[in-house]
Amino acid sequence: ESLLAEEVGKTDLSQRAPDDIPQRFESLRGYRLLPAGRTKNVTPLSLAQMATAILAITTVKPGYAGLAGKTMSSLRPVGGVEASFQKCVTLGSAVECLLQNPAALDSFIELRVSDSEIYTNAHGRGVITYRSVDGVLTAYYVHQNARSLFQSGAETDFDPGDLISSAVTETVFYPPFFRQIISELKREASAPPIPLIIDPRDADEETRKQERSEE
């Protein structure tokens, strides 16, 4: 959470509010996309959870981060798996690949993500540009409702400008962003284990939530 706050803190002219990322993490917990409960702040995140948290940055309003993370992680590749980045079946798995596969990250140029409505009732699009033996390639990921775009060969005549919106917003991630996360993960892995200490305030809040759910 703190690492993401630092890395994306200057993506806006006015800078993000101090509680922007914490609000996003709470929204993700509400969708059960991140650990919840009294141990939420001491439970290591899985790669899938990290990928979802990263993609949740793309939406403007922090309160929509849970929905954005769920939607963006499930985007599927235009042209099917064979036309995707590293044969990843979803955008979420492509981000996971960048976090754990050094060769994939070395080939990676940029990731562009938008939660705008690209097609009717279909929000979200991801674009990964990368190097391969065939030169510089682009893999597109779109909403699962765009079924006709998942057929093999659909990527050959895919027009990224063919969308219903006249303007969209995008968040762009470059290699240093992922390298910084990987570096921090390695540092944490090599550090001595830290005793799990649960903040009493978290315990009280979870108790109140449980009591409200039972009313």
Side-chain angles (χ1 to χ4, degrees):
E1 181 177 325
S2 60
L3 178 59
L4 288 183
E6 180 179 352
E7 291 300 305
V8 303
K10 298 181 180 180
T11 55
D12 185 80
L13 179 63
S14 60
Q15 298 194 10
R16 291 176 182 253
D19 63 345
D20 181 276
I21 296 298
Q23 284 187 50
R24 291 175 190 272
F25 271 58
E26 279 304 305
S27 178
L28 288 163
R29 293 187 185 103
Y31 274 75
R32 298 296 185 263
L33 297 173
L34 291 182
R38 291 184 297 171
T39 60
K40 63 185 179 183
N41 292 326
V42 293
T43 302
L45 301 186
S46 67
L47 287 176
Q49 291 168 337
M50 292 181 196
T52 300
I54 290 170
L55 293 172
I57 294 172
T58 61
T59 192
V60 174
K61 295 183 178 180
Y64 281 80
L67 178 59
K70 181 177 181 179
T71 300
M72 305 308 294
S73 293
S74 63
L75 296 182
R76 296 171 54 188
V78 174
V81 174
E82 292 301 317
S84 68
F85 174 69
Q86 295 289 315
K87 293 184 169 53
C88 293
V89 296
T90 64
L91 185 60
S93 61
V95 174
E96 289 181 56
C97 181
L98 290 171
L99 293 173
Q100 66 181 332
N101 187 328
L105 184 55
D106 286 342
S107 72
F108 171 72
I109 297 176
E110 68 176 26
L111 164 63
R112 310 183 77 90
V113 189
S114 172
D115 70 332
S116 299
E117 187 175 18
I118 304 300
Y119 308 111
T120 303
N121 297 322
H123 285 255
R125 179 172 66 186
V127 185
I128 298 180
T129 305
Y130 62 102
R131 302 179 187 87
S132 78
V133 294
D134 299 319
V136 176
L137 301 179
T138 301
Y140 289 92
Y141 289 80
V142 295
H143 195 277
Q144 57 188 357
N145 288 349
R147 298 181 184 277
S148 63
L149 295 177
F150 304 140
Q151 300 175 5
S152 178
E155 75 282 2
T156 58
D157 57 359
F158 175 69
D159 180 6
D162 183 17
L163 52 149
I164 66 168
S165 300
S166 59
V168 299
T169 59
E170 279 190 330
T171 299
V172 186
F173 299 94
Y174 296 108
F177 175 85
F178 295 100
R179 296 191 189 282
Q180 179 63 26
I181 294 176
I182 293 170
S183 176
E184 180 64 18
L185 293 176
K186 289 180 178 178
R187 186 193 67 77
E188 290 183 353
S190 63
I194 300 175
L196 300 183
I197 300 176
I198 301 173
D199 190 328
R201 292 172 297 181
D202 288 341
D204 291 343
E205 177 61 23
E206 291 304 319
T207 300
R208 288 193 290 271
K209 289 182 179 178
Q210 181 65 28
E211 291 174 348
R212 288 196 295 268
S213 67
E214 294 175 354
E215 291 179 354

PDB file of all heavy atoms in Angstrom, residues 137-155:
ATOM      1  N   LEU A 137       5.693  -5.582 -30.578  1.00  0.00           N
ATOM      2  CA  LEU A 137       4.320  -6.053 -30.736  1.00  0.00           C
ATOM      3  C   LEU A 137       3.413  -5.411 -29.693  1.00  0.00           C
ATOM      4  O   LEU A 137       3.878  -4.893 -28.673  1.00  0.00           O
ATOM      5  CB  LEU A 137       4.255  -7.577 -30.600  1.00  0.00           C
ATOM      6  CG  LEU A 137       5.093  -8.394 -31.586  1.00  0.00           C
ATOM      7  CD1 LEU A 137       4.937  -9.882 -31.290  1.00  0.00           C
ATOM      8  CD2 LEU A 137       4.688  -8.087 -33.030  1.00  0.00           C
ATOM      9  N   THR A 138       2.114  -5.459 -29.957  1.00  0.00           N
ATOM     10  CA  THR A 138       1.120  -4.921 -29.033  1.00  0.00           C
ATOM     11  C   THR A 138       0.044  -5.966 -28.783  1.00  0.00           C
ATOM     12  O   THR A 138      -0.483  -6.558 -29.729  1.00  0.00           O
ATOM     13  CB  THR A 138       0.469  -3.645 -29.594  1.00  0.00           C
ATOM     14  OG1 THR A 138       1.479  -2.659 -29.822  1.00  0.00           O
ATOM     15  CG2 THR A 138      -0.553  -3.094 -28.613  1.00  0.00           C
ATOM     16  N   ALA A 139      -0.265  -6.199 -27.532  1.00  0.00           N
ATOM     17  CA  ALA A 139      -1.347  -7.111 -27.154  1.00  0.00           C
ATOM     18  C   ALA A 139      -2.453  -6.286 -26.510  1.00  0.00           C
ATOM     19  O   ALA A 139      -2.195  -5.490 -25.605  1.00  0.00           O
ATOM     20  CB  ALA A 139      -0.837  -8.169 -26.187  1.00  0.00           C
ATOM     21  N   TYR A 140      -3.675  -6.470 -26.996  1.00  0.00           N
ATOM     22  CA  TYR A 140      -4.824  -5.741 -26.463  1.00  0.00           C
ATOM     23  C   TYR A 140      -5.671  -6.666 -25.599  1.00  0.00           C
ATOM     24  O   TYR A 140      -5.889  -7.829 -25.940  1.00  0.00           O
ATOM     25  CB  TYR A 140      -5.686  -5.189 -27.605  1.00  0.00           C
ATOM     26  CG  TYR A 140      -5.052  -4.046 -28.356  1.00  0.00           C
ATOM     27  CD1 TYR A 140      -4.290  -4.280 -29.491  1.00  0.00           C
ATOM     28  CD2 TYR A 140      -5.215  -2.734 -27.928  1.00  0.00           C
ATOM     29  CE1 TYR A 140      -3.704  -3.236 -30.191  1.00  0.00           C
ATOM     30  CE2 TYR A 140      -4.639  -1.679 -28.616  1.00  0.00           C
ATOM     31  CZ  TYR A 140      -3.884  -1.937 -29.748  1.00  0.00           C
ATOM     32  OH  TYR A 140      -3.296  -0.900 -30.437  1.00  0.00           O
ATOM     33  N   TYR A 141      -6.162  -6.111 -24.511  1.00  0.00           N
ATOM     34  CA  TYR A 141      -7.072  -6.845 -23.629  1.00  0.00           C
ATOM     35  C   TYR A 141      -8.362  -6.031 -23.500  1.00  0.00           C
ATOM     36  O   TYR A 141      -8.314  -4.824 -23.230  1.00  0.00           O
ATOM     37  CB  TYR A 141      -6.444  -7.047 -22.250  1.00  0.00           C
ATOM     38  CG  TYR A 141      -5.303  -8.042 -22.244  1.00  0.00           C
ATOM     39  CD1 TYR A 141      -4.029  -7.670 -22.660  1.00  0.00           C
ATOM     40  CD2 TYR A 141      -5.500  -9.352 -21.823  1.00  0.00           C
ATOM     41  CE1 TYR A 141      -2.980  -8.583 -22.661  1.00  0.00           C
ATOM     42  CE2 TYR A 141      -4.460 -10.271 -21.818  1.00  0.00           C
ATOM     43  CZ  TYR A 141      -3.206  -9.883 -22.239  1.00  0.00           C
ATOM     44  OH  TYR A 141      -2.174 -10.790 -22.257  1.00  0.00           O
ATOM     45  N   VAL A 142      -9.500  -6.680 -23.708  1.00  0.00           N
ATOM     46  CA  VAL A 142     -10.784  -5.986 -23.681  1.00  0.00           C
ATOM     47  C   VAL A 142     -11.774  -6.733 -22.785  1.00  0.00           C
ATOM     48  O   VAL A 142     -11.513  -7.850 -22.336  1.00  0.00           O
ATOM     49  CB  VAL A 142     -11.371  -5.841 -25.099  1.00  0.00           C
ATOM     50  CG1 VAL A 142     -10.489  -4.946 -25.964  1.00  0.00           C
ATOM     51  CG2 VAL A 142     -11.543  -7.208 -25.759  1.00  0.00           C
ATOM     52  N   HIS A 143     -12.912  -6.097 -22.561  1.00  0.00           N
ATOM     53  CA  HIS A 143     -13.934  -6.652 -21.675  1.00  0.00           C
ATOM     54  C   HIS A 143     -14.457  -7.985 -22.213  1.00  0.00           C
ATOM     55  O   HIS A 143     -14.545  -8.196 -23.425  1.00  0.00           O
ATOM     56  CB  HIS A 143     -15.085  -5.648 -21.543  1.00  0.00           C
ATOM     57  CG  HIS A 143     -16.013  -5.932 -20.408  1.00  0.00           C
ATOM     58  ND1 HIS A 143     -17.049  -6.844 -20.504  1.00  0.00           N
ATOM     59  CD2 HIS A 143     -16.053  -5.443 -19.131  1.00  0.00           C
ATOM     60  CE1 HIS A 143     -17.701  -6.888 -19.355  1.00  0.00           C
ATOM     61  NE2 HIS A 143     -17.119  -6.055 -18.499  1.00  0.00           N
ATOM     62  N   GLN A 144     -14.823  -8.853 -21.300  1.00  0.00           N
ATOM     63  CA  GLN A 144     -15.280 -10.187 -21.684  1.00  0.00           C
ATOM     64  C   GLN A 144     -16.578 -10.179 -22.489  1.00  0.00           C
ATOM     65  O   GLN A 144     -16.918 -11.181 -23.125  1.00  0.00           O
ATOM     66  CB  GLN A 144     -15.470 -11.056 -20.436  1.00  0.00           C
ATOM     67  CG  GLN A 144     -16.434 -10.481 -19.422  1.00  0.00           C
ATOM     68  CD  GLN A 144     -16.441 -11.268 -18.116  1.00  0.00           C
ATOM     69  OE1 GLN A 144     -15.755 -12.281 -17.987  1.00  0.00           O
ATOM     70  NE2 GLN A 144     -17.220 -10.805 -17.154  1.00  0.00           N
ATOM     71  N   ASN A 145     -17.297  -9.063 -22.493  1.00  0.00           N
ATOM     72  CA  ASN A 145     -18.508  -8.983 -23.311  1.00  0.00           C
ATOM     73  C   ASN A 145     -18.212  -8.841 -24.797  1.00  0.00           C
ATOM     74  O   ASN A 145     -19.079  -9.082 -25.637  1.00  0.00           O
ATOM     75  CB  ASN A 145     -19.382  -7.807 -22.868  1.00  0.00           C
ATOM     76  CG  ASN A 145     -20.064  -8.068 -21.536  1.00  0.00           C
ATOM     77  OD1 ASN A 145     -20.049  -9.193 -21.035  1.00  0.00           O
ATOM     78  ND2 ASN A 145     -20.666  -7.038 -20.958  1.00  0.00           N
ATOM     79  N   ALA A 146     -16.987  -8.461 -25.141  1.00  0.00           N
ATOM     80  CA  ALA A 146     -16.613  -8.282 -26.558  1.00  0.00           C
ATOM     81  C   ALA A 146     -16.205  -9.628 -27.155  1.00  0.00           C
ATOM     82  O   ALA A 146     -15.077  -9.834 -27.615  1.00  0.00           O
ATOM     83  CB  ALA A 146     -15.485  -7.265 -26.671  1.00  0.00           C
ATOM     84  N   ARG A 147     -17.115 -10.567 -27.178  1.00  0.00           N
ATOM     85  CA  ARG A 147     -16.820 -11.965 -27.509  1.00  0.00           C
ATOM     86  C   ARG A 147     -16.253 -12.146 -28.919  1.00  0.00           C
ATOM     87  O   ARG A 147     -15.406 -13.017 -29.145  1.00  0.00           O
ATOM     88  CB  ARG A 147     -18.086 -12.812 -27.351  1.00  0.00           C
ATOM     89  CG  ARG A 147     -18.639 -12.822 -25.931  1.00  0.00           C
ATOM     90  CD  ARG A 147     -19.874 -13.700 -25.806  1.00  0.00           C
ATOM     91  NE  ARG A 147     -20.437 -13.637 -24.473  1.00  0.00           N
ATOM     92  CZ  ARG A 147     -20.001 -14.350 -23.440  1.00  0.00           C
ATOM     93  NH1 ARG A 147     -18.983 -15.171 -23.606  1.00  0.00           N
ATOM     94  NH2 ARG A 147     -20.572 -14.241 -22.253  1.00  0.00           N
ATOM     95  N   SER A 148     -16.715 -11.344 -29.850  1.00  0.00           N
ATOM     96  CA  SER A 148     -16.255 -11.527 -31.230  1.00  0.00           C
ATOM     97  C   SER A 148     -14.768 -11.245 -31.390  1.00  0.00           C
ATOM     98  O   SER A 148     -14.147 -11.696 -32.356  1.00  0.00           O
ATOM     99  CB  SER A 148     -17.050 -10.621 -32.171  1.00  0.00           C
ATOM    100  OG  SER A 148     -16.829  -9.250 -31.859  1.00  0.00           O
ATOM    101  N   LEU A 149     -14.175 -10.524 -30.431  1.00  0.00           N
ATOM    102  CA  LEU A 149     -12.756 -10.164 -30.529  1.00  0.00           C
ATOM    103  C   LEU A 149     -11.830 -11.243 -29.969  1.00  0.00           C
ATOM    104  O   LEU A 149     -10.621 -11.123 -30.054  1.00  0.00           O
ATOM    105  CB  LEU A 149     -12.499  -8.849 -29.786  1.00  0.00           C
ATOM    106  CG  LEU A 149     -13.177  -7.610 -30.367  1.00  0.00           C
ATOM    107  CD1 LEU A 149     -12.902  -6.397 -29.494  1.00  0.00           C
ATOM    108  CD2 LEU A 149     -12.698  -7.353 -31.793  1.00  0.00           C
ATOM    109  N   PHE A 150     -12.394 -12.303 -29.414  1.00  0.00           N
ATOM    110  CA  PHE A 150     -11.559 -13.336 -28.811  1.00  0.00           C
ATOM    111  C   PHE A 150     -11.246 -14.476 -29.778  1.00  0.00           C
ATOM    112  O   PHE A 150     -10.516 -15.401 -29.437  1.00  0.00           O
ATOM    113  CB  PHE A 150     -12.233 -13.893 -27.556  1.00  0.00           C
ATOM    114  CG  PHE A 150     -12.569 -12.825 -26.542  1.00  0.00           C
ATOM    115  CD1 PHE A 150     -13.766 -12.857 -25.845  1.00  0.00           C
ATOM    116  CD2 PHE A 150     -11.694 -11.778 -26.300  1.00  0.00           C
ATOM    117  CE1 PHE A 150     -14.073 -11.868 -24.924  1.00  0.00           C
ATOM    118  CE2 PHE A 150     -11.988 -10.793 -25.388  1.00  0.00           C
ATOM    119  CZ  PHE A 150     -13.188 -10.836 -24.693  1.00  0.00           C
ATOM    120  N   GLN A 151     -11.780 -14.408 -30.976  1.00  0.00           N
ATOM    121  CA  GLN A 151     -11.511 -15.451 -31.959  1.00  0.00           C
ATOM    122  C   GLN A 151     -10.085 -15.336 -32.488  1.00  0.00           C
ATOM    123  O   GLN A 151      -9.534 -14.247 -32.601  1.00  0.00           O
ATOM    124  CB  GLN A 151     -12.506 -15.337 -33.112  1.00  0.00           C
ATOM    125  CG  GLN A 151     -13.960 -15.493 -32.694  1.00  0.00           C
ATOM    126  CD  GLN A 151     -14.922 -15.249 -33.841  1.00  0.00           C
ATOM    127  OE1 GLN A 151     -14.493 -15.047 -34.978  1.00  0.00           O
ATOM    128  NE2 GLN A 151     -16.210 -15.277 -33.558  1.00  0.00           N
ATOM    129  N   SER A 152      -9.497 -16.455 -32.816  1.00  0.00           N
ATOM    130  CA  SER A 152      -8.144 -16.470 -33.358  1.00  0.00           C
ATOM    131  C   SER A 152      -8.064 -15.640 -34.630  1.00  0.00           C
ATOM    132  O   SER A 152      -8.902 -15.766 -35.522  1.00  0.00           O
ATOM    133  CB  SER A 152      -7.721 -17.912 -33.662  1.00  0.00           C
ATOM    134  OG  SER A 152      -6.438 -17.951 -34.225  1.00  0.00           O
ATOM    135  N   GLY A 153      -7.086 -14.762 -34.715  1.00  0.00           N
ATOM    136  CA  GLY A 153      -6.904 -13.913 -35.881  1.00  0.00           C
ATOM    137  C   GLY A 153      -7.579 -12.558 -35.768  1.00  0.00           C
ATOM    138  O   GLY A 153      -7.353 -11.675 -36.610  1.00  0.00           O
ATOM    139  N   ALA A 154      -8.389 -12.355 -34.730  1.00  0.00           N
ATOM    140  CA  ALA A 154      -9.105 -11.078 -34.576  1.00  0.00           C
ATOM    141  C   ALA A 154      -8.146  -9.915 -34.384  1.00  0.00           C
ATOM    142  O   ALA A 154      -8.486  -8.761 -34.684  1.00  0.00           O
ATOM    143  CB  ALA A 154     -10.082 -11.160 -33.404  1.00  0.00           C
ATOM    144  N   GLU A 155      -6.942 -10.213 -33.911  1.00  0.00           N
ATOM    145  CA  GLU A 155      -5.974  -9.138 -33.655  1.00  0.00           C
ATOM    146  C   GLU A 155      -5.411  -8.533 -34.935  1.00  0.00           C
ATOM    147  O   GLU A 155      -4.890  -7.414 -34.925  1.00  0.00           O
ATOM    148  CB  GLU A 155      -4.820  -9.659 -32.788  1.00  0.00           C
ATOM    149  CG  GLU A 155      -3.812 -10.538 -33.500  1.00  0.00           C
ATOM    150  CD  GLU A 155      -4.277 -11.972 -33.722  1.00  0.00           C
ATOM    151  OE1 GLU A 155      -5.425 -12.281 -33.351  1.00  0.00           O
ATOM    152  OE2 GLU A 155      -3.485 -12.774 -34.248  1.00  0.00           O
TER     153      GLU A 155
END
